[in-house]
Amino acid sequence: MDDAGVDRALIHPVLWDPDSNELAAHSGAELPDRFAIMGWFYLDDPNGPDLVARWKERPGHARPALLLQRACISGSG
């Protein structure tokens, strides 16, 4: 990163890997001055409100990412 002139980076864990938040959190904890994490959580998670309330207490977490997706129904025209 130094050689490329990059001071900080934002890590956005992939949605298709349920372990990606933990991998990103590990990287963010290792170098909190260099990495910020824009993690995610399932909206139907019963712990969701607590996760949001305490999000920034997690090392390196900048803010949660929200993915709102409209359901696609085949043949609906």
Side-chain angles (χ1 to χ4, degrees):
M1 288 175 57
D2 291 333
D3 290 344
V6 176
D7 295 323
R8 295 182 49 89
L10 179 66
I11 300 172
H12 187 272
V14 296
L15 297 173
W16 49 262
D17 180 359
D19 297 325
S20 63
N21 272 330
E22 296 310 314
L23 180 60
H26 178 71
S27 298
E30 294 263 324
L31 296 167
D33 295 334
R34 305 291 301 262
F35 294 111
I37 303 159
M38 192 171 185
W40 60 271
F41 62 95
Y42 293 105
L43 294 177
D44 60 353
D45 183 339
N47 297 318
D50 187 51
L51 285 170
V52 172
R54 298 174 178 270
W55 194 265
K56 292 197 78 164
E57 294 173 12
R58 299 173 76 181
H61 280 70
R63 61 188 55 172
L66 297 177
L67 174 66
L68 305 175
Q69 203 169 3
R70 207 171 84 193
C72 295
I73 301 172
S74 179
S76 65

